[in-house]
Amino acid sequence: MTGIRDLLGVDLPVVAAPMAGGPSTTRLATAVGTAGGFAFLAAGYRTPEAVAAEIAELRAGGHPFGVNVFVPTPVPVTEAEFRRYADRIAPEGAPYGLDLATADRVADDDHWDGKLDLLRREPVPVVSFTFGPPPAAVVRDLRRAGSRVLVTVTGPEEAAAAADLGVDGLVAQSGAAGGHLGTFTPAAPPAPRPLPDLVRQVAGRTGLPVLAAGGVGGGRDVADALAAGAVGVLVGTLLLLADESGTGRTHRDALGDPARDRTVVTRAFTGRPARALRNRFVERHDAAAPLGYPALHHLTRPLRVAAAGAGDADRLHLWAGTGWRGARAAPVADLVAELTRPL
Ligand SMILES: Cc1cc2nc3c(=O)[nH]c(=O)nc-3n(C[C@H](O)[C@H](O)[C@H](O)COP(=O)(O)O)c2cc1C
């Protein structure tokens, strides 16, 4: 049976999940590697040049690592629906002098070709994909170049489709996960199920090594996912407050704010379902938000940047998984030690 060492080249079954938008830093990845775990860099929302610089830095550090890429699987939104939503949220931008009502409906592929060129040219130990299955030729090329290739799946059907591509393993992400759900069908995300059940279903369906992700709130959850057959466990939210993570101040403060009482899956910020701490923006707009990615991501981005800078947690996407109460500010070495204590 493939174990964590065969798949990722490390011995500790704790993996720092890719977290685009700031939290994933080379410092965080290095600290996780030094602690004996494995870490992903997040290529999402970054230029190929920026990703190349991070890869060079991690390579020099000598620990194995992975790079996570968004597959361009756009979720369309009509101009009429987009305009309706832009009009609706326009008052949110007014305090920051932003004119959201006239924003363009932007479509982009997050530098897909440039990132793949980079990963083919300068192979990294592991490449993972989310937001859908990558083309089979991409999987083949990256594996030929020497990388292990993983795909995030949220249920057994997606797992079977990814297995058909010839990938090395799967990230089984439950709906309890913080941030975007990696589902291939954003209009109909899979029914929530406990992480150990998802691991059993995905591993049973494919026979591939599975990394579990979603809702981990402490070492007990790690142990349960491993007992269900996972070879390792991705941890995202629990690392958001780590000293080495790049999580912004407003997000950090909200995670520690006892008044924040729940997480919800919402498309209000980006047009794709993602789990976040409930805040006023979600309360006001979630029910009216259309699907539409990356159009809604680009629409709300200036607002979120302004809100983050102003300490305005009620207009910011506060990505968090259901285990967020277990997050605490500490060096990564301590957090990883806690997570592996029950093993
Ligand atoms: C702030 C944040 C950003 C994320 N960005 C990405 C990303 O760039 N790529 C990805 O595949 N998953 C992303 N995720 C999902 C994580 O990789 C992982 O599946 C999730 O954090 C696991 O659930 P947990 O947060 O409950 O531990 C993100 C999650 C968070 C919290």
Side-chain angles (χ1 to χ4, degrees):
M1 220 184 83
T2 307
I4 188 85
R5 171 146 285 280
D6 307 307
L7 187 67
L8 302 181
V10 298
D11 290 316
L12 268 196
V14 172
V15 178
M19 293 190 283
S24 288
T25 58
T26 51
R27 228 182 122 217
L28 179 70
T30 301
V32 170
T34 304
F38 183 91
F40 281 99
L41 287 175
Y45 314 132
R46 322 212 55 200
T47 61
E49 295 72 30
V51 177
E54 292 202 330
I55 289 174
E57 200 180 325
L58 281 199
R59 234 191 266 286
H63 300 296
F65 63 95
V67 175
N68 172 259
V69 183
F70 294 162
V71 179
T73 46
V75 186
V77 58
T78 64
E79 179 66 19
E81 272 185 309
F82 179 80
R83 288 265 75 84
R84 184 185 54 73
Y85 193 60
D87 283 343
R88 179 188 177 91
I89 68 166
E92 306 280 359
Y96 299 109
L98 297 169
D99 182 6
L100 301 179
T102 60
D104 286 334
R105 187 168 50 128
V106 175
D108 69 2
D109 67 1
D110 198 34
H111 307 278
W112 169 254
D113 288 336
K115 286 173 191 170
L116 280 189
D117 285 349
L118 169 70
L119 294 170
R120 286 194 198 96
R121 213 173 47 238
E122 298 173 31
V124 297
V126 179
V127 179
S128 77
F129 292 98
T130 191
F131 291 166
V138 166
V139 175
R140 187 200 57 212
D141 289 354
L142 292 175
R143 294 189 76 237
R144 272 193 196 148
S147 299
R148 295 284 163 97
V149 176
L150 308 178
V151 173
T152 297
V153 298
T154 60
E157 283 72 35
E158 292 175 0
D164 286 345
L165 299 172
V167 298
D168 297 280
L170 299 169
V171 175
Q173 187 205 45
S174 87
H180 284 117
L181 307 185
T183 175
F184 297 5
T185 54
R193 62 198 110 190
L195 187 55
D197 292 355
L198 178 66
V199 167
R200 275 185 218 103
Q201 289 168 354
V202 167
R205 180 75 179 256
T206 63
L208 286 171
V210 171
L211 298 172
V216 170
R220 200 60 262 154
D221 295 329
V222 173
D224 289 348
L226 295 174
V231 300
V233 180
L234 260 71
V235 182
T237 300
L238 285 197
L239 297 179
L240 283 172
L241 297 182
D243 296 350
E244 297 88 344
S245 94
T247 312
R249 175 49 51 202
T250 308
H251 193 179
R252 278 182 192 265
D253 289 350
L255 286 163
D257 178 355
R260 303 261 164 222
D261 64 349
R262 73 186 70 170
T263 64
V264 291
V265 173
T266 180
R267 52 206 199 191
F269 293 107
T270 65
R272 245 185 211 281
R275 188 173 287 279
L277 288 172
R278 193 171 71 147
N279 64 3
R280 296 234 170 79
F281 191 90
V282 172
E283 283 162 19
R284 286 197 282 255
H285 305 298
D286 178 58
L291 282 169
Y293 184 90
L296 265 64
H297 160 76
H298 290 295
L299 168 67
T300 66
R301 194 165 180 279
L303 173 65
R304 293 181 284 124
V305 169
D312 177 1
D314 274 305
R315 292 189 177 93
L316 182 61
H317 59 295
L318 302 170
W319 291 165
T322 58
W324 96 99
R325 292 265 194 236
R328 67 180 188 92
V332 155
D334 295 359
L335 299 177
V336 170
E338 269 168 34
L339 285 168
T340 50
R341 196 162 296 139
L343 303 185

